[in-house]
Amino acid sequence: MRRKAATPAPGVWEQRAPERSLMLWMALAMLVGFLVVLGTRAGQGDPPKARDLLPPLVYAGTLGFAHLVLVLSRFRGDLSLVCAPMFLSGLGILAQFRMGILYAGDSAWTLRDLLFPLGVALMLGCVLLFRGGRLAALRPFYLLAGLGSLALVGAVLATGTRFRGAVFASGNLTPTEGLKILAVFAAAGALHRRLDAVEGGLFRSLHALVPFGVFRAALVALLAVQRDLGMALILSLALLGMLVFASGRMSWILLAVAGLVVVTIIAGDQIAHSQRRMEAWIDPFADPTGSGWQTLQGLSAMFAGGLWGAGYGLGRPDRIPIAESDFIYAVIGEEFGFVGCVLVVATYLVLVLRGLRVARAAGDPFVSFLAAGFTLVIAVQTLVNIGGVTKALPLTGVPLPFVSLGGSSMITSFVAIGLILAASEGAVSKRHTAGKTGK
C-alpha cells in the first residue's frame, strides 16, 4: 500500500494569513471611525483638512510595516500578541483624535503623534534582537537590572520636581516606567537562581528568597517616597504573581495580602494624598466638587453610555477629568457603551491569556519567568486603571496600557510585548513539534 506523502509545513506567509486578515479589519474599522468624526465636525462647520487623513494612514501603514517585517524575518510567534495591542492602540488613537489631542492644528508632527509607530518599531526591534533563544542570554545581568531599578528611582528623587504630590523628572516625564522592564528582569533572574529553593518547602523558600524580598521592599519604599503609589502597586502585585508562577503555590498570596494590609495602613497614616484618595473611593459624594469629582464624572459618563453607548463622537469627554489618560475607559464607556467596554476587556484577556500561555510553554525557566512577569505587569496595570475608573478600586493615576495617552507607558508596554513575542516563537515551535509527534 502506497504511503501518503507528508503534508509540508505551511510557509510563514500562509501561517500569518489570520494576522493579515485581522489587521485589514482593524485598519478598515479605524478608517470608518475617522470618517465618522470628520463627518460630525463637518456638520458643525469644521470642514476636513488634508492633515486629518494622517491618523488612519499612519495607523494602516504601521500595521502593514509590522506584518511585512514579521513575514520577511520568517517569524513564527504568536499572532494574537501582535494584533491585540495594535487594536487597543487603534481605539486609543481614535479616542484621542476625537478629543482633538492627536494630530491637532496645522503645526508639524509632534512626538505624541508618532508614539504608536515608534512603539511598534521598538516591539519589532525586540523581536528581531532576542528571538531564537537569545533572550536567555540576558540572565547573567539580572543583578545589574536590579541595581538599575533602584538607581532609576533614586535619580528621579534626587533631580526631579514635585507635581500634584508626586516627584517627576524634568518636563513631568516618568522615567520610572522603565521599572516595568528592569524590575521584571531582576526578579526573573533572582527566581531562576533560587529555583530549587522556590520549588521546595515554604520555610526553605522564605530563607532563600530574602534577597528577593529585600529588593522588592526597597523598590516599593523608594516609590512610596516618590509618591508613585500606582507603580508601587503594579510592581508589588506583578512580582508576587511571578513568585506564585515560579513556585506553583498559592500560599504566597496569603502572606502577601497580610503584608499589603500592613503597608496600606502605614502608607495611609503617613501620606495625606493617599488618605484623600481612599476617602474619595469610599464616599465620593462627601466631596463631589473636590477629591470625588473625577470618580463621579467618570461614573456619570459610563452610566450615560448605557448598553450601546451615546455614539462615537457624540459623548462629552470634555466633562471627564484627565479623559485622555487616566479616564479614557470612561470615554469608551460613554460613546461605545457596555458593549464597547466588554470588547476592550475581552481584548486584554486574550493578550494576558496568550502571554501566560507563552510563559508556560517556554523551555528556559528564566525566559518563562520573564514572559510571565511582563504579562502580569500589563494585566495588573489594566486591572488597576479599570478598577479605579469603575470605583472597584481606589484611583492611582495609572494609564490604561496601549489606549491612554502616555509616551513612557506606551513605549514600555510595546517593549514588553516585543520581549514576550521573542519568547513566543520558541513556544509555538515547541507546540508544533509536539503536535507532529503526537505528544
Side-chain angles (χ1 to χ4, degrees):
M1 193 171 174
R2 218 167 155 190
R3 273 189 176 179
K4 251 184 172 180
T7 305
V12 178
W13 179 256
E14 292 80 8
Q15 183 196 4
R16 305 207 77 82
E19 174 186 276
R20 193 159 50 251
S21 298
L22 280 173
M23 286 185 173
L24 287 173
W25 280 109
M26 287 156 53
L28 180 61
M30 184 83 160
L31 178 61
V32 171
F34 274 97
L35 291 177
V36 169
V37 172
L38 295 179
T40 303
R41 289 181 180 178
Q44 297 172 348
D46 183 12
K49 301 177 284 293
R51 180 182 173 84
D52 293 332
L53 296 176
L54 284 177
L57 291 176
V58 170
Y59 182 75
T62 304
L63 294 184
F65 175 74
H67 181 68
L68 187 62
V69 169
L70 294 175
V71 169
L72 292 178
S73 62
R74 305 186 65 79
F75 179 72
R76 294 182 177 271
D78 196 311
L79 64 90
S80 300
L81 289 171
V82 176
C83 293
M86 290 187 174
F87 173 71
L88 293 168
S89 295
L91 286 179
I93 293 170
L94 275 175
Q96 292 151 20
F97 177 77
R98 176 257 182 281
M99 289 186 282
I101 295 171
L102 291 182
Y103 302 93
D106 299 319
S107 60
W109 287 2
T110 64
L111 180 60
R112 176 184 292 182
D113 299 331
L114 298 175
L115 280 174
F116 172 65
L118 178 59
V120 171
L122 289 173
M123 177 191 78
L124 295 173
C126 289
V127 171
L128 298 178
L129 187 61
F130 295 109
R131 63 184 295 199
R134 289 190 289 271
L135 199 54
L138 296 175
R139 188 187 307 119
F141 304 103
Y142 78 97
L143 284 176
L144 287 177
L147 293 174
S149 300
L150 301 175
L152 182 60
V153 187
V156 173
L157 286 172
T159 62
T161 55
R162 194 165 292 279
F163 177 70
R164 291 182 179 175
V167 180
F168 295 88
S170 59
N172 287 339
L173 297 176
T174 53
T176 47
E177 282 286 332
L179 293 175
K180 295 174 184 176
I181 305 297
L182 292 175
V184 169
F185 264 111
L191 290 173
H192 179 266
R193 183 177 175 82
R194 303 280 180 167
L195 186 58
D196 292 338
V198 168
E199 293 175 342
L202 181 61
F203 291 104
R204 183 183 174 193
S205 299
L206 283 171
H207 179 266
L209 289 173
V210 167
F212 178 86
V214 170
F215 165 72
R216 181 171 175 266
L219 188 60
V220 171
L222 286 173
L223 288 170
V225 173
Q226 190 198 348
R227 305 285 177 88
D228 194 349
L229 299 182
M231 181 65 71
L233 180 61
I234 290 170
L235 291 179
S236 292
L237 294 179
L239 296 184
L240 167 65
M242 291 178 68
L243 183 55
V244 173
F245 180 87
S247 65
R249 286 200 305 269
M250 302 298 289
S251 54
W252 287 107
I253 294 181
L254 299 177
L255 292 173
V257 168
L260 189 61
V261 170
V262 173
V263 170
T264 301
I265 293 172
I266 295 173
D269 288 338
Q270 299 297 323
I271 304 176
H273 185 60
S274 65
Q275 283 184 315
R276 288 194 298 271
R277 286 191 171 183
M278 289 295 292
E279 291 166 0
W281 174 53
I282 295 169
D283 184 13
F285 289 99
D287 188 10
T289 59
S291 58
W293 176 252
Q294 281 182 300
T295 300
L296 292 175
Q297 289 299 100
L299 291 174
S300 297
M302 298 188 73
F303 179 79
L307 179 62
W308 299 104
Y312 180 55
L314 300 177
R316 291 299 305 269
D318 55 302
R319 297 180 179 177
I320 305 173
I322 322 180
E324 71 281 2
S325 181
D326 299 1
F327 274 76
I328 200 164
Y329 187 72
V331 175
I332 294 172
E334 182 181 17
E335 299 202 337
F336 295 98
F338 179 74
V339 173
C341 290
V342 168
L343 178 62
V344 170
V345 172
T347 305
Y348 280 113
L349 281 175
V350 169
L351 191 155
V352 171
L353 292 175
R354 300 295 289 194
L356 291 177
R357 184 180 181 183
V358 168
R360 286 195 300 269
D364 185 282
F366 172 74
V367 175
S368 177
F369 300 157
L370 272 184
F374 293 138
T375 302
L376 289 168
V377 163
I378 294 172
V380 172
Q381 183 174 338
T382 302
L383 179 65
V384 169
N385 177 275
I386 294 179
V389 173
T390 58
K391 199 180 169 296
L393 295 171
L395 286 174
T396 54
V398 302
L400 188 61
F402 304 108
V403 182
S404 293
L405 180 68
S408 303
S409 176
M410 178 168 282
I411 293 302
T412 53
S413 296
F414 268 114
V415 167
I417 289 294
L419 294 171
I420 299 172
L421 280 169
S424 78
E425 190 172 41
V428 170
S429 300
K430 184 180 176 183
R431 287 199 299 272
H432 284 323
T433 303
K436 287 178 183 178
T437 56
K439 291 180 182 178

